[in-house]
Amino acid sequence: MTEKPKIAIYGLGACAGCDQTVVDLNEILLQLAETVDIVLWPLAMDFKLSRIQAMQDGEVALSILSGAVINSDHHEMAALLRRKSRIVLAMGTCACFGGVPGLANFCGREEMFNQVYRDAPTVTNPDGVRPQPETDVGGRKLTLPEFSGHVFTLDQVIDTDYYLPGCPPPPALIGNAITAVLAGDLPPKGSSLAPRKALCDTCPRNSRKPGRMDIRYFRRIHEVDADPDECFLAAGIVCLGPATRSGCGEACIRINVPCRGCFGPVPGGVGSAPKFLSTLTSLLTVERDDEIEEAIDSLPDPAGYLYRFCQPSSILGRKSLREEEAEA
Amino acid sequence: MEPYDPKIVCFSCNFGWGYLSGEEALGAVISNWIPVICTGKIDTRHILKAFKAGADGVLILGCPEGHCHFQDGNYQTRKKAYLIRKVLGAFGIEPERLDMELAIDPEGKKIPQLLARMKRRLAELGPVKITGDVR
């Protein structure tokens, strides 16, 4: 009997939502378990790190890694699984573009730690305790992974073969990706295993889009009673559909919530933020300086809106620990 | 240590700035000068990439209101520049490092003066420090 291909599923700086979507494969997962050997999946089964370390290099057919790379443990596990795997798939927006944790890069390490361990209204920490990489407790040394000081995407830390964006990616796309890898039916390295169109192309509201937008100020979805069939942007509600890759099944749009951009940029763009920024301002029809300022000021935290899922992969936010990437 | 000399990337519209002097003549005296067919042609990415590549400031020279050869490219970029300034602030880049001037200067004589004025302002700010750098 030939050996079944080995698959590893691991979450780095992730919320486990991506892992949960693998669970949502339901019956497909049972069929998959017949054809592959899942050697690592902490969400669903016990595993020993030493077992992975003892494997031959390249022994694992596919590693599916979700989450951003935030601390020393993530760096080590990403490097280990890269070494042991023939194909590495970055699953989910955090692994692909940095995701919501990547917003941490908008403040430095100190500011972030102050907020999380001192200033947040829910924090009670009179002694100012901060996590330490090493602590002596009763003569024993306890260790914690150390924060990198920066949130990285997976491909800024290890060579990454394929990408599957989404927060989380829909189960169907995950199923397709795994099937494609097992069948060896893959696009060129570096491809995203998701549709290539922009979300507006598949949006059910597109037919109601006016020929010319007339936005005079921005509104947020909770401030209005949005028409469930009308184009959000036409109503001045910020929707990142024009600059975001489709493939999510319009999950947010269908529950009357505008696109926030979790699928990342359409192919060919360095991040969706600059594209969307240009789109958004071109839709504003106000003319005088004071009107322009008032209209744009009506969008609170524009950087947070535009870079919600992609700060670490953005032009200004990106940093790479890989030499060839850093030079590019 | 050498004195800090701020680097400025200057985009200017061909229809309003320096078209009588020619690109070669002006290019010889203005460094990092990028004449474009219309300021509306300047992509947000061009501005962000300039800062990423080490620019201390970006100056955009466009036509006055109502004078755009392509209807309203200057107006579109004016709106864009205002939003880009706010985004730059989030990255720790002072918004005033992106400046825009709308005027007509066929010989381009004002360009070196505007750059010198901006340099003086940038010198007070010092080099760009993007937030969230690795320790």
Side-chain angles (χ1 to χ4, degrees):
Chain A
M1 190 181 124
T2 52
E3 205 173 289
K4 290 195 277 189
K6 295 185 172 71
I7 288 187
I9 304 170
Y10 193 78
L12 303 164
C15 67
C18 290
D19 276 33
Q20 182 57 45
T21 311
V22 180
V23 177
D24 290 343
L25 284 170
N26 297 329
E27 288 80 8
I28 298 171
L29 191 60
L30 297 177
Q31 293 164 16
L32 199 64
E34 296 289 314
T35 51
V36 301
D37 182 10
I38 298 176
V39 294
L40 169 68
W41 191 11
L43 180 97
M45 52 193 255
D46 189 22
F47 86 103
K48 296 285 177 280
L49 182 61
S50 55
R51 190 179 159 212
I52 306 294
Q53 286 167 330
M55 285 181 168
Q56 303 285 320
D57 285 358
E59 191 176 330
V60 178
L62 168 68
S63 271
I64 301 174
L65 301 185
S66 59
V69 182
I70 300 172
N71 66 33
S72 53
D73 182 60
H74 304 151
H75 283 269
E76 284 169 27
M77 283 305 289
L80 174 69
L81 288 167
R82 172 68 276 182
R83 209 164 54 242
K84 302 297 176 190
S85 313
R86 298 196 289 280
I87 291 176
V88 168
L89 170 68
M91 176 172 70
T93 295
C94 296
C96 293
F97 316 116
V100 170
L103 288 172
N105 291 347
F106 274 136
C107 50
R109 175 195 172 93
E110 200 52 34
E111 191 184 338
M112 190 194 326
F113 273 41
N114 284 343
Q115 173 68 18
V116 173
Y117 297 107
R118 191 189 69 190
D119 302 335
T122 49
V123 169
T124 308
N125 185 6
D127 298 330
V129 177
R130 297 279 177 105
Q132 302 297 324
E134 286 184 11
T135 312
D136 277 322
V137 177
R140 287 172 178 268
K141 191 175 74 176
L142 298 182
T143 61
L144 276 177
E146 187 175 10
F147 173 53
S148 316
H150 188 86
V151 177
F152 294 92
T153 65
L154 187 62
D155 66 1
Q156 289 168 350
V157 175
I158 59 166
D159 185 28
T160 304
D161 298 292
Y162 294 101
Y163 301 84
L164 181 51
C167 185
L173 287 185
I174 294 179
N176 289 348
I178 297 174
T179 311
V181 170
L182 294 178
D185 178 21
L186 284 164
K189 183 178 166 174
S191 299
S192 186
L193 306 181
R196 298 176 61 83
K197 286 182 173 176
L199 183 64
C200 283
D201 276 338
T202 59
C203 178
R205 299 171 188 235
N206 201 320
S207 56
R208 295 272 306 269
K209 183 170 70 70
R212 194 161 181 84
M213 300 275 187
D214 179 17
I215 303 177
R216 295 180 168 270
Y217 56 93
F218 297 115
R219 298 188 294 178
R220 301 165 84 187
I221 186 66
H222 64 272
E223 295 170 343
V224 288
D225 190 8
D227 181 332
D229 298 316
E230 191 187 8
C231 170
F232 284 114
L233 278 169
I237 301 164
V238 178
C239 174
L240 270 74
T244 303
R245 190 189 275 268
S246 61
C248 55
E250 300 81 46
C252 297
I253 302 286
R254 289 182 194 282
I255 57 162
N256 214 9
V257 171
C259 172
R260 296 182 293 179
C262 79
F263 256 66
V266 287
V270 183
S272 48
K275 285 280 181 198
F276 189 68
L277 189 154
S278 303
T279 305
L280 205 55
T281 52
S282 70
L283 298 179
L284 278 177
T285 48
V286 288
E287 299 216 344
R288 294 196 322 264
D289 271 349
D290 59 328
E291 289 175 333
I292 292 173
E293 289 173 17
E294 194 182 338
I296 292 176
D297 289 347
S298 69
L299 177 67
D301 187 19
Y305 258 100
L306 295 165
Y307 292 88
R308 192 194 303 256
F309 295 100
C310 60
Q311 204 282 359
S313 58
S314 65
I315 292 171
L316 288 174
R318 67 181 298 126
K319 302 195 188 306
S320 184
L321 296 181
R322 293 170 56 218
E323 282 176 19
E324 70 272 32
E325 284 286 316
E327 286 166 9
Chain B
M1 211 174 96
E2 284 185 22
Y4 168 57
D5 183 25
K7 292 185 286 294
I8 301 174
V9 172
C10 174
F11 296 94
S12 72
C13 171
N14 270 342
F15 283 92
W17 295 77
Y19 56 86
L20 291 181
S21 300
E23 286 184 19
E24 276 188 23
L26 270 180
V29 291
I30 308 170
S31 49
N32 301 315
W33 177 48
I34 305 164
V36 289
I37 200 75
C38 172
T39 51
K41 182 77 181 155
I42 305 165
D43 197 302
T44 304
R45 288 174 302 174
H46 300 146
I47 296 166
L48 301 182
K49 282 183 174 176
F51 283 109
K52 183 67 174 179
D56 297 293
V58 172
L59 177 63
I60 300 172
L61 305 173
C63 299
E65 277 185 64
H67 288 253
C68 178
H69 194 77
F70 302 98
Q71 183 103 0
D72 58 6
N74 50 358
Y75 158 68
Q76 297 296 351
T77 295
R78 197 154 50 99
K79 288 186 287 179
K80 206 157 60 182
Y82 184 75
L83 182 51
I84 295 173
R85 280 193 203 104
K86 299 190 97 177
V87 167
L88 289 177
F91 282 96
I93 301 172
E94 294 84 351
E96 54 267 43
R97 291 185 187 270
L98 171 61
D99 202 1
M100 188 166 179
E101 183 89 13
L102 301 183
I104 286 199
D105 178 14
E107 292 177 1
K109 283 183 179 166
K110 266 175 69 182
I111 302 178
Q113 293 165 19
L114 289 167
L115 287 169
R117 189 183 74 184
M118 192 172 183
K119 263 191 187 187
R120 284 195 295 277
R121 287 203 299 252
L122 293 174
E124 288 172 21
L125 293 175
V128 169
K129 289 192 198 81
I130 298 178
T131 311
D133 272 339
V134 189
R135 283 176 303 139

